[in-house]
Each structure stands twice: as structure tokens, then as C-alpha cells.
Amino acid sequence: MILETIVTTLGADGTPHIAPFGVTREGEDLVIAPFRPSVTLAALEATGRAVVNLTDDARLFAGCLTGRRDWPLVPATAIAGVRLADSLAHWEVEVVRIEDDPVRPRFHCRSVHEEAHRPFAGHNRAAAAVIEAAILCSRLHMLPWEKVEREMAYLTIAVEKTAGPREREAWGWLSDRVAAFRAEMRSPDGTKPQVLS
Ligand SMILES: Cc1cc2nc3c(=O)[nH]c(=O)nc-3n(C[C@H](O)[C@H](O)[C@H](O)COP(=O)(O)O)c2cc1C
């Protein structure tokens, strides 16, 4: 099973970094699989540590994908690392094995410390739609434009029906990003769209 999480790391120079990652449970292992190049990947290689944060605030996913990475962090408890100041729970993990790969290495991690902070307050379709749209936004440069438009239109239904203020704000950020990408695609100088995330 893959859990959509926010992974926080410290770089070799101690700089904190925050990024959404799908984390796979494989037996006792939690596997983080970043595509190269990645700041998270470099941090995992340099320090062998990370924090996997569980959150119901979809703004974290949309924010990181649209350049809003300035979320409050606090020190981790058992490892040299940082975690989200506001999350449902977090797992402090250490890398136990690396399956190396030129495209997407897999970092097998084990949890060394876990904390629960708040109870899960229930599923929300708009929050799930925001996470789907954030994934779309991370792949805009690879996807056919018709697919992006079709999926954004479908996901809008859940947002319009079920969103609260956090989900609406996150949706606005992602919609703006998609619109900016579209404008760039249509730019008269005919340049190829650039990767925006
Ligand atoms: C829900 C979600 C899951 C993601 N999972 C992955 C993943 O498993 N691997 C990956 O390389 N990028 C993933 N991404 C995209 C990364 O978050 C994004 O590209 C990020 O900037 C990673 O690069 P960085 O470590 O340099 O920040 C995901 C994005 C979202 C919204």
C-alpha cells in the first residue's frame, strides 16, 4: 500500500527540506522512492534519516508543488531531523538499505520513533481531489494536455461539493499552476513548456 505523506529531511549542510512522497509499506520497511534528481534523495544519501509526516491538510501537498514550502517545522524527537509542527502523526525513520537505480532508487527505511498528535477527523473528497491534482501538477510536462484538462474538470466536482477553506485554498494554488502552464504552452514564441514544479 502507498500512503501519501510529507517527507521532511535535513541536507548535508543542515538545511531543512519538505516534499510530498508516496511511501510504500513493505513488511517492516517504509520505502521512499525519489526520482533523480531530488533534494530529498540527496538528503537521504547524506544523512540516512527522514521524518514521514501524516497530515489531513491538503495544502501541504498543493503548497509544496506550487513553491509554498515554508511550513512550520520543529526538531524531531529521536533523530537529528525536523518534522511538521502541525500533523496528525509522524514517523522518524532511518535508511536500512538502498536499492540503487539510475532513475528512481528505493530507500528502505525503518521507523525508530513514532508520535501521534491529533486524531484523524475523517475522509474528505476535496482533500483527496487536491492530492490527485497535486500529482497531476508534478507531471504537467509529461502528460497530454487533454488528460490534464479532463482530470482537473472531474476533480473540480468533489472540490465544489465538499471542500472546506483549506481545500479551496489549495485548489486555487493548483488551478493557478495549471493555468500558468497552459499559458506557457500557448506562448507565441513556440518554446517548449518548461518543468514548473
Ligand atoms: C502526493 C504526491 C506524491 C508524490 N510522490 C513522489 C514519489 O514517490 N517520488 C518522487 O520522486 N516524487 C513524488 N512526488 C513529487 C515530489 O513531491 C516533487 O517532485 C518533489 O519536489 C520531489 O523533489 P525534491 O526532493 O527535490 O523536493 C509526489 C508528489 C505528490 C503531490
Side-chain angles (χ1 to χ4, degrees):
M1 178 164 91
I2 298 179
L3 297 171
E4 304 306 341
T5 73
I6 302 295
V7 172
T8 43
T9 48
L10 289 180
D13 63 355
T15 305
H17 186 70
I18 163 172
F21 277 92
V23 173
T24 310
R25 266 201 183 284
E26 286 186 13
E28 279 184 68
D29 293 358
L30 292 165
V31 180
I32 305 172
F35 286 96
R36 295 183 189 276
S38 151
V39 176
T40 304
L41 185 153
L44 286 168
E45 279 178 337
T47 70
R49 288 185 285 269
V51 177
V52 177
N53 301 268
L54 308 181
T55 179
D56 57 0
D57 187 346
R59 292 178 306 172
L60 270 296
F61 297 91
C64 288
L65 263 293
T66 56
R68 298 168 174 87
R69 292 185 190 256
D70 197 14
W71 300 93
L73 301 172
V74 294
T77 304
I79 62 168
V82 287
R83 66 170 175 88
L84 289 178
D86 184 22
S87 69
L88 298 176
H90 80 272
W91 305 327
E92 300 180 14
V93 304
E94 285 178 353
V95 177
V96 291
R97 182 163 68 88
I98 302 173
E99 277 178 73
D100 207 2
D101 185 87
V103 177
R104 193 182 190 186
R106 291 163 50 83
F107 292 80
H108 288 252
C109 304
R110 291 271 165 91
S111 175
V112 294
H113 181 76
E114 301 188 358
E115 283 177 37
H117 305 291
R118 280 192 288 117
F120 175 57
H123 294 285
N124 172 253
R125 287 175 59 204
V130 166
I131 292 172
E132 286 302 321
I135 292 172
L136 270 184
C137 280
S138 74
R139 298 178 183 164
L140 285 176
H141 54 292
M142 296 186 271
L143 296 173
W145 178 250
E146 298 69 37
K147 180 179 165 70
V148 174
E149 263 191 335
R150 197 172 55 240
E151 297 202 3
M152 288 299 284
Y154 177 70
L155 294 169
T156 306
I157 299 168
V159 174
E160 284 175 354
K161 281 189 180 163
T162 73
R166 294 187 309 189
E167 293 76 26
R168 254 191 287 279
E169 186 175 23
W171 188 257
W173 296 340
L174 294 171
S175 301
D176 289 350
R177 170 52 56 96
V178 171
F181 186 81
R182 184 185 193 188
E184 205 173 317
M185 273 173 69
R186 290 185 169 175
S187 68
D189 66 358
T191 51
K192 252 185 105 188
Q194 296 298 303
V195 178
L196 295 178
S197 58

